[in-house]
């Protein structure tokens, strides 16, 4: 909008420019930002933002967010992790079975939903549910539990400190 059409042009000469003499148009009359949430703006905070102030629960120092992550895969989806030709290749061979490494595909636990085709398979995973274990063994397959490898930590070097002897 051009300057000549602005409201303030019309208010020239009027002392308070429509903002009132008593209240006065000041910069932040109620305080900047969230100020006064527990004081003069308490009604608004209690009504529209309940629970904004205060704490709940216990603190967890050194929270490891991925510590409880355990992606699962169902027994019925195991064969989808390997190509179709692998399944066809091992279909008639009864002395050998393919190894399906679910850890490599980003899963850690095998659970027992669904059915497996009547074809032996060796499954590598960190955890197996009881049902999954039964179903894999029922088709002649095997389990290969993979445990976490702990990093080899060198024993801490002994620190030698001089013994201070006080002479009388």
């Amino acid at each position: 909008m051009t300057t000549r059409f602005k409201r303030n042009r019309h208010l020239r000469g009027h002392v308070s420019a429509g903002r009132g003499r008593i209240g006065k148009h000041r910069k932040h009359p109620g305080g900047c930002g969230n100020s006064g949430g527990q004081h003069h703006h308490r009604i608004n905070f209690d009504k529209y933002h309940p629970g904004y102030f205060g704490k709940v629960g216990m603190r967890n120092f050194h929270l490891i967010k991925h510590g409880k992550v355990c992606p699962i895969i169902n027994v019925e989806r195991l064969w989808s992790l390997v190509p179709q030709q692998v399944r066809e290749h091992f279909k008639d061979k009864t002395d050998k079975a393919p190894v399906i490494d679910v850890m490599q595909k980003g899963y850690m636990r095998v659970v027992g939903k669904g059915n497996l085709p009547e074809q032996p398979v060796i499954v590598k995973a960190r955890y197996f549910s009881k049902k999954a274990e039964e179903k894999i063994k029922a088709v002649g397959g095997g389990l290969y539990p993979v445990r976490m490898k702990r990093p080899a930590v060198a024993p801490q070097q002994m620190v030698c400190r001089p013994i201070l002897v006080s002479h009388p």
Side-chain angles (χ1 to χ4, degrees), residues 41-164:
H41 291 153
R42 169 164 272 189
I43 289 171
N44 180 291
F45 272 72
D46 288 350
K47 186 173 182 181
Y48 297 109
H49 311 284
Y52 182 82
F53 295 106
K55 299 175 184 176
V56 173
M58 291 183 293
R59 293 186 61 187
N60 185 355
F61 308 110
H62 190 62
L63 175 67
I64 300 168
K65 291 193 176 174
H66 66 279
K68 296 187 174 88
V69 172
C70 185
I72 64 166
I73 185 166
N74 287 309
V75 168
E76 64 187 2
R77 288 194 52 228
L78 281 178
W79 279 104
S80 69
L81 299 180
V82 291
Q84 184 68 29
Q85 60 253 33
V86 172
R87 187 169 169 195
E88 314 244 328
H89 177 73
F90 286 99
K91 196 156 200 147
D92 301 323
K93 298 182 180 179
T94 53
D95 57 333
K96 289 184 180 177
V99 177
I100 299 176
D101 189 356
V102 298
M103 297 276 290
Q104 210 172 36
K105 302 289 184 181
Y107 300 101
M108 290 169 107
R109 185 164 190 239
V110 180
V111 291
K113 182 186 172 215
N115 296 312
L116 270 173
E118 291 294 323
Q119 190 174 344
V121 63
I122 297 163
V123 184
K124 272 174 97 170
R126 189 158 296 156
Y127 310 107
F128 295 90
S129 71
K130 282 184 184 175
K131 274 191 178 179
E133 201 172 322
E134 290 165 9
K135 287 181 181 181
I136 293 166
K137 286 180 178 173
V139 295
L143 308 172
Y144 188 85
V146 182
R147 295 291 165 236
M148 294 260 301
K149 291 178 184 166
R150 298 196 182 274
V153 179
Q156 297 210 345
Q157 296 174 351
M158 293 181 67
V159 179
C160 298
R161 293 189 184 94
I163 299 169
L164 299 173

